[in-house]
Amino acid sequence: MVKYGPAYSPQDASSVAIVNSQAPTTIPSTSENIQNPPGTVVSSAMTSGGEGKRSGGKDEPKQPFTFRENMGSETVELIVGKDKAKFLVHKKLLCDKIPYFDKMFNGGFEEARSKIATFSEDRAQSMDLLLGWVYHGSIRKIQGTNNNGVREIPSWSFVDMYSLAHKLCLRDVQDEVMDAYLTYSFEGESMPSFETWTSAYDKVLSPSPLRTLMVYFGRLALSFNAGEFATAFDVPSILELLFDNSDFGVDFLNLIRYGGAVEDPRVMPRCDFNCHGKDEPCYLTKKGPCT
Ligand SMILES: [Zn+2]
């Protein structure tokens, strides 16, 4: 198992470009809704106390956190993608779950004052999935959709989602996204397309399990000498890809030379494509590597 520690250091968070040139300097007209979002209970008793503090003296038994204590009463806006999709999110929950946002909204950045952050390079679909994880604790399954009977299309782009999790240094989310894709690929007996191989290398620049997965699929694709996959992944097209993407080409040839027998990544141990090291906890078990 290859450990990808250096690529996921916390310093990566600071390298993420937060495009905020168009961020309003004041809270927009929805501020009333922002202060009191649906699901937030506001009362004089609540607003007079310190937010998030536990009640009771030292002799009182500890009570579980209430909904309001978990969520807080403050929200922030995330503006995502070309179409500027807007997500209104509970700030406390978001910052508790994702350190990147904690730095952004509780630090000295403009976003902390405006309560608005823009992610123009990411897809609204990926942010939607990420916020589903923030609120519900898991990434929803990838469904296959039929494109006029010709080709099955995944219901969400796992490369885009993986890329977003990678930028935010969320290794457990990366692993969950990876497992979701491998499950989808195994159940549908499908393989990622040439476009997906290229996209993975373009969006995650450093060595990562995502790149490794694409190279394993590349080697598997080359091993077919008849049938549907041999047609879909013909030698001239693979050769063209090697010329166009030298990073992929080097990894691909190194795997062929040093990687031993051809393996199908869809049936390999899932942890082989997770971010955690061999002896580090897996997000699935929280105890030790899953297999
Ligand atoms: Zn694992």
Side-chain angles (χ1 to χ4, degrees):
M1 176 172 310
V2 181
K3 187 177 178 183
Y4 297 89
Y8 299 93
S9 65
Q11 284 84 350
D12 281 0
S14 63
S15 68
V16 179
I18 303 301
V19 181
N20 198 32
S21 58
Q22 296 181 5
T25 54
T26 57
I27 298 174
S29 58
T30 54
S31 58
E32 187 176 346
N33 293 333
I34 294 174
Q35 293 300 324
N36 301 313
T40 302
V41 179
V42 178
S43 71
S44 58
M46 283 178 165
T47 53
S48 63
E51 182 177 309
K53 287 182 180 174
R54 308 299 295 132
S55 59
K58 62 180 181 181
D59 294 331
E60 289 184 31
K62 270 193 171 180
Q63 300 296 319
F65 280 95
T66 64
F67 173 84
R68 184 175 184 276
E69 285 171 330
N70 276 325
M71 298 290 171
S73 58
E74 199 176 352
T75 55
V76 294
E77 272 186 46
L78 307 179
I79 311 294
V80 187
K82 290 182 293 185
D83 297 332
K84 299 183 178 359
K86 185 170 83 173
F87 295 88
L88 199 59
V89 192
H90 287 91
K91 174 184 166 183
K92 182 178 183 300
L93 181 69
L94 183 68
C95 294
D96 283 351
K97 286 282 188 109
I98 304 179
Y100 174 86
F101 284 112
D102 185 38
K103 289 179 185 172
M104 172 186 280
F105 288 119
N106 290 318
F109 298 100
E110 165 62 19
E111 289 83 357
R113 195 191 62 75
S114 67
K115 300 180 183 177
I116 298 172
T118 302
F119 292 80
S120 55
E121 301 297 319
D122 293 290
R123 277 192 185 190
Q125 179 194 65
S126 299
M127 189 60 78
D128 190 277
L129 286 159
L130 180 68
L131 295 176
W133 174 83
V134 167
Y135 277 82
H136 306 299
S138 62
I139 301 291
R140 68 173 180 265
K141 189 177 178 180
I142 304 178
Q143 305 287 342
T145 54
N146 198 300
N147 186 17
N148 295 322
V150 176
R151 185 181 176 190
E152 197 180 57
I153 298 175
S155 55
W156 49 268
S157 167
F158 96 101
V159 169
D160 284 301
M161 180 60 204
Y162 193 97
S163 168
L164 177 61
H166 175 78
K167 285 197 295 186
L168 300 180
C169 302
L170 297 172
R171 295 172 47 148
D172 281 0
V173 177
Q174 289 174 246
D175 291 347
E176 195 167 339
V177 170
M178 175 65 74
D179 285 358
Y181 179 73
L182 285 169
T183 297
Y184 163 81
S185 184
F186 174 78
E187 291 179 351
E189 299 181 0
S190 63
M191 300 220 294
S193 64
F194 283 126
E195 292 81 9
T196 305
W197 301 1
T198 304
S199 175
Y201 269 73
D202 288 345
K203 295 194 174 188
V204 177
L205 298 179
S206 52
S208 80
L210 180 66
R211 283 185 163 205
T212 302
L213 179 71
M214 294 305 139
V215 174
Y216 269 75
F217 269 120
R219 186 175 64 161
L220 179 65
L222 188 63
S223 72
F224 292 107
N225 55 22
E228 183 183 346
F229 285 138
T231 303
F233 298 100
D234 59 289
V235 169
S237 299
I238 292 176
L239 190 59
E240 187 179 340
L241 181 63
L242 299 185
F243 276 118
D244 289 346
N245 193 318
S246 60
D247 281 355
F248 178 87
V250 169
D251 291 346
F252 181 72
L253 294 176
N254 274 329
L255 182 65
I256 290 174
R257 170 169 282 182
Y258 302 110
V262 175
E263 294 177 276
D264 185 340
R266 295 169 296 187
V267 297
M268 289 169 65
R270 293 295 171 85
C271 287
D272 285 4
F273 299 101
N274 280 177
C275 296
H276 61 77
K278 188 176 180 181
D279 300 318
E280 292 176 326
C282 178
Y283 81 97
L284 272 178
T285 63
K286 306 295 183 193
K287 296 174 185 171
C290 56
T291 56

